[in-house]
Amino acid sequence: MAMSYDGLWGIGELAERAGVSVKTVRFYSDSGLLPEAGRSAGGHRRYDAGALERLRMIRSLRRMDLPLPVVRRVLEEENTPGRTGGALEDAVAGQLRALGSQVRALRWKEAALRSVQECRPAERADRLRLIAAVAVPPSTAPLARFWRAWLPPRMPAGSVTAFLDIAVPQPPEDPQPEQVLAFAGLNALVTGDCGGSAPTQPAAHRAADARASTVLYAGLAEAYELAGTEMRLGRRPGPGEALDGFVDAYASARIAADTPAFRRELLRQLAADPRIDRYWELTAELTGVPGDPPEPTPGSAHDWLVAALDAEAGTVQPA
């Protein structure tokens, strides 16, 4: 279809060339996204050749689900000399992030449904309720709140963040049904859906001040890492660098000497402290690869070190 004698198209001509409805062209015109070149003597809208390219750009941006305000910013930048296309780049990056979140949510929902499908019929209602209590995509905020309430109130923010990085497991991008179930169990555990309240912080972990708590948890993190290496090698709990670092963390926090008597008292206190083994069991199920041996967690490393302390105590005569 050729242009009219004045080099302009009517709204119907533009719609036909762009492959859209007249209603669509009118909507974008009324929104200010598609300027008119003028009006005919009868008051009809007229558009030039640039309107066709602009309309095609609008349609391309809308097909990417970009909202009208974003489309407007992209078009304004396109018509501004010297601009570098940052609006379009930001829009594409934002859509990619949103799409990634949607893909993660769909993967999570698929694994959740498979978890319900694969369990026994009598268990499906309870499992569905357990899994449905988890946000999609899953959020670790309830786990972080649990640990923030559990940690010493005087603990510096940086030390809290470092501990949370270790203690709060991240949901896998492409989970298996058993991993969805493990995360749902963690969510229920920390929100009280399992019928229990948050455990009391172990007495051995209660530091006197901010300095002591920082020293204690930094030392424990190093000891857990060393113990994890021993566990991956299949070594039984016993004396060594990991155990020495573990004891030193408590001794340094309390400004005490690492003596056989201190170790015996520490063992007694640790043995009497409350435990949250279920949290760490579920963490191992969540972060591990199905079919492979479970990766060490801070909880399992702690148990290994307490067992090492106990094994050492059995070989040391009282002072």
Side-chain angles (χ1 to χ4, degrees):
M1 182 183 292
M3 281 190 168
S4 303
Y5 68 90
D6 58 358
L8 301 177
W9 290 313
I11 191 170
E13 294 170 313
L14 177 61
E16 184 177 346
R17 281 185 170 273
V20 300
S21 67
V22 170
K23 182 179 179 180
T24 296
V25 177
R26 185 176 291 113
F27 172 77
Y28 289 134
S29 290
D30 291 343
S31 300
L33 295 174
L34 189 64
E36 304 163 14
R39 294 266 177 158
S40 68
H44 299 294
R45 305 171 198 246
R46 308 291 286 171
Y47 299 91
D48 58 21
L52 178 59
E53 292 304 314
R54 188 176 179 92
L55 181 54
R56 286 171 174 165
M57 171 65 89
I58 293 171
R59 296 291 290 165
S60 297
L61 294 170
R62 292 293 286 157
R63 287 192 184 101
M64 291 196 301
D65 293 328
L66 294 178
L68 288 179
V70 175
V71 172
R72 190 184 305 278
R73 286 198 297 272
V74 172
L75 293 174
E76 288 173 353
E77 187 174 79
E78 288 286 318
N79 293 330
T80 303
R83 299 295 290 271
T84 60
L88 180 57
E89 182 179 348
D90 291 344
V92 170
Q95 285 300 98
L96 285 173
R97 287 193 297 271
L99 183 60
S101 180
Q102 293 170 19
V103 169
R104 288 193 297 274
L106 288 173
R107 287 172 176 166
W108 190 267
K109 287 180 180 179
E110 180 185 19
L113 289 172
R114 291 190 181 281
S115 175
V116 174
Q117 182 184 50
E118 293 169 1
C119 72
R120 293 183 300 175
E123 299 174 348
R124 283 177 184 157
D126 288 340
R127 181 166 294 190
L128 183 60
R129 281 192 290 270
L130 180 70
I131 290 173
V134 177
V136 179
S139 170
T140 59
L143 308 184
R145 284 196 297 270
F146 170 83
W147 285 112
R148 287 183 185 278
W150 187 89
L151 291 169
R154 295 171 298 276
M155 194 166 174
S159 298
V160 171
T161 299
F163 180 84
L164 293 180
D165 288 341
I166 298 172
V168 176
Q170 297 301 312
E173 294 284 327
D174 190 6
Q176 297 299 311
E178 53 267 35
Q179 291 175 311
V180 169
L181 188 60
F183 189 86
L186 279 173
N187 184 74
L189 181 67
V190 302
T191 57
D193 290 343
C194 287
S197 58
T200 305
Q201 187 188 44
H205 286 203
R206 295 174 196 157
D209 53 30
R211 183 210 67 84
S213 63
T214 300
V215 169
L216 174 60
Y217 281 90
L220 289 178
E222 294 179 8
Y224 293 159
E225 186 174 348
L226 291 171
T229 300
E230 298 291 304
M231 295 167 71
R232 292 186 189 94
L233 295 174
R235 292 174 180 165
R236 295 177 61 82
E241 184 182 3
L243 178 58
D244 289 344
F246 181 65
V247 174
D248 183 67
Y250 289 101
S252 297
R254 301 176 188 183
I255 315 179
D258 178 2
T259 64
F262 178 84
R263 294 195 175 207
R264 288 195 299 272
E265 175 57 24
L266 177 61
L267 176 61
R268 183 199 65 76
Q269 193 172 37
L270 291 171
D273 270 337
R275 304 164 64 83
I276 48 174
D277 289 347
R278 185 58 182 156
Y279 181 96
W280 299 116
E281 290 169 2
L282 290 168
T283 297
E285 293 174 19
L286 175 66
T287 58
V289 177
D292 289 352
E295 270 291 294
T297 65
S300 61
H302 183 88
D303 289 347
W304 189 95
L305 288 161
V306 172
L309 189 60
D310 186 47
E312 181 189 65
T315 64
V316 177
Q317 296 298 319

